[in-house]
Amino acid sequence: MTISDIAERAGVSIGAVSFALNGRKGVSEETRARVLRVADELGWAPSTAARSLAEAKTETFGLVLARDPHNLGVESFYMEFFAGLEIELSKRGYSLLLQVVGSTDDALATLQKWHRTRRVDGVVLTDLIDDDPRAAFVADSGLPAVVVGDPGIAGGLTSVWTDDAASMREAVRHLVSLGHRRIARVAGLGSLAHTRIRDDAFAEETGLLGVAGELLRTDYTPEAGERVTREALTGAEPPTALIYDNDVMAVAGLTVAMELGLGVPGEVSIVAWDDSVLCEHTLPKLTALSHDVVAFGSHVARRLFDVVAGSEPAAFLDSTPHLVVRGSTGTATRDS
Amino acid sequence: MTISDIAERAGVSIGAVSFALNGRKGVSEETRARVLRVADELGWAPSTAARSLAEAKTETFGLVLARDPHNLGVESFYMEFFAGLEIELSKRGYSLLLQVVGSTDDALATLQKWHRTRRVDGVVLTDLIDDDPRAAFVADSGLPAVVVGDPGIAGGLTSVWTDDAASMREAVRHLVSLGHRRIARVAGLGSLAHTRIRDDAFAEETGLLGVAGELLRTDYTPEAGERVTREALTGAEPPTALIYDNDVMAVAGLTVAMELGLGVPGEVSIVAWDDSVLCEHTLPKLTALSHDVVAFGSHVARRLFDVVAGSEPAAFLDSTPHLVVRGSTGTATRDS
């Protein structure tokens, strides 16, 4: 016998049975009484209950990353995010089950397997695409989950998000206030929903302010950042300011400008997103959209513990990345 | 009944029973025949066998990291190492179970719990200290494991190591050949065995070549790297060359030298260890001890699969980090 037998007989969810047998909040007294009566009728012994409930609890959260593992070490975002998750998990003796796969389909298959074999108490979903099949599966299966990203792509699941559009607009306004009229955005992977949100905000804000906004697509690697920066700065109508989608591409862009003999910020301004220790140790130090990614990871973990405990789905806004102005942005002096 | 009952009755290991029942290599035909006979005598049904074997195989490797999670995102080593592990794990549908804890004792407790509750097929041990209790536990318990580090600290377990002493001597000889007579080593955490191996090699090689070798201790953070570099370069007898234990400290050191108006490599030479994309995107680019950390992680994972399959303990030398000379090291010109 399992607790699902009790759930079926009592006409309630497995979670409600678990709550009732454990004496935890989250079910009405009426439901609790019915569950306990059914459990008694079925001869449910406390020792059996204890064992089944212990088996149901894996003390593990899962995360499947659909990224090329060869590029994972390049930027600090994921390591900081994992570190933030681990800060909360370690307080409760939880582990993180991590698998890197090649595609969204493989990620879905892994989540299905973990759910089927009861490997995790809940999962964190990152890098969502539009109409993401992972969000749909998780919503259907009832596997506790938190989506890292905009509520608009979370498919009704609990989400923790940052207002990337607001951050992008702040960066564009900062550059325009310094006199820049030709700004380039060095963007990350176009398949990711949050990249598109940044793309749209960049296009809207440059349009609104009447300045030229050029979109340069990359795969987040410093090689790509270097290449598109060189092409842009040696082109016919070079930008006087660039906003990069990660820190290593911004550092690569700074180096390209210096190699071309262009002063930073005298001739070219540079903004990095996210901020990192790297941005504070270049010369000049990099102006950056700063977000505490470690705290973000901890926030996500706390919300997932809440979901596992039965909280209703909700969207939680994490702190909005804000502009930290350092030495790499200044008044536009070139023809622009 | 479990497969350990069969193992006990047949007088063989649980692993041998598993191999025999699965029809896999690794046991003699004689053993296979005995195991199958005992299984038959005990009424071992194929369906039971299938279930028990499935339970015994978790398709998971574990890694407990005894590090401050707040500092994890700073350097690229661990993310690249995890990426390398994941490349091999994902080929076989394996996941990585990751837990970050505060101390070696907590790491030991986590390993003991994972072993007791059969959460992992094997573990990777990193950041070993002298007489490490984790290595002793793993050796006693029979939990399949690979030690990342010098065979001298692996307690007889399978190890995958890099010859850090040889790499350090190469870096020192390079600097001495350029005329440097006062060299500083900006070292990482003194509690780690591989730090001590590098410390010793640095002291020995500078002593052998008759140059001054100064040891500066840090916690791997760029803040610490910046502080000790500033103290050393503004001291009474400043070094003309510095060797850093990671990439972010080397970048921080480069920035300090520039802020002090000291040319690199004209007045100060800088060597980073490990190499990273970061080292290729500073100005000048950083001379570095280069090691393919992603490949190192993959190597470790492959050896752990071998150990799980029954391979005898052995020490495997991974490629030795070699010096990639770039723009940050040059002829010593200051009084030295």
Side-chain angles (χ1 to χ4, degrees), chain A residues 64 101 103-113 133-135 137-138:
Chain A
V64 190
V101 298
S103 68
T104 302
D105 286 346
D106 289 346
L108 175 63
T110 299
L111 290 173
Q112 289 170 330
K113 184 173 122 186
R134 293 167 294 182
F137 162 70
V138 162

Side-chain angles (χ1 to χ4, degrees), chain B residues 43-76:
Chain B
W44 184 256
S47 66
T48 320
R51 197 179 63 242
S52 293
L53 289 170
E55 284 169 4
K57 199 177 163 204
T58 65
E59 294 185 321
T60 303
F61 286 158
L63 193 157
V64 189
L65 212 52
R67 284 277 183 114
D68 179 351
H70 293 95
N71 287 342
L72 270 186
V74 173
E75 49 178 325
S76 57

Side-chain angles (χ1 to χ4, degrees), chain B residues 125-126 128 147-154 159-162 194 197 296 316:
Chain B
L125 300 181
T126 63
L128 263 66
V147 170
V148 178
D150 197 271
I153 56 163
S159 60
V160 181
W161 64 295
T162 55
H194 81 266
I197 288 169
F296 187 42
F316 299 96

Side-chain angles (χ1 to χ4, degrees), chain A residues 89-103:
Chain A
L89 267 57
S90 63
K91 287 179 189 168
R92 315 206 198 186
Y94 267 62
S95 306
L96 181 69
L97 189 64
L98 181 66
Q99 189 160 346
V100 178
V101 298
S103 68

Side-chain angles (χ1 to χ4, degrees), chain A residues 60 95 98-99 119 255 281, chain B residues 60 95-96 99 119 255 281:
Chain A
T60 303
S95 306
L98 181 66
Q99 189 160 346
R119 293 295 303 280
T255 305
H281 292 92
Chain B
T60 303
S95 307
L96 181 68
Q99 189 160 346
R119 296 293 304 279
T255 304
H281 292 93

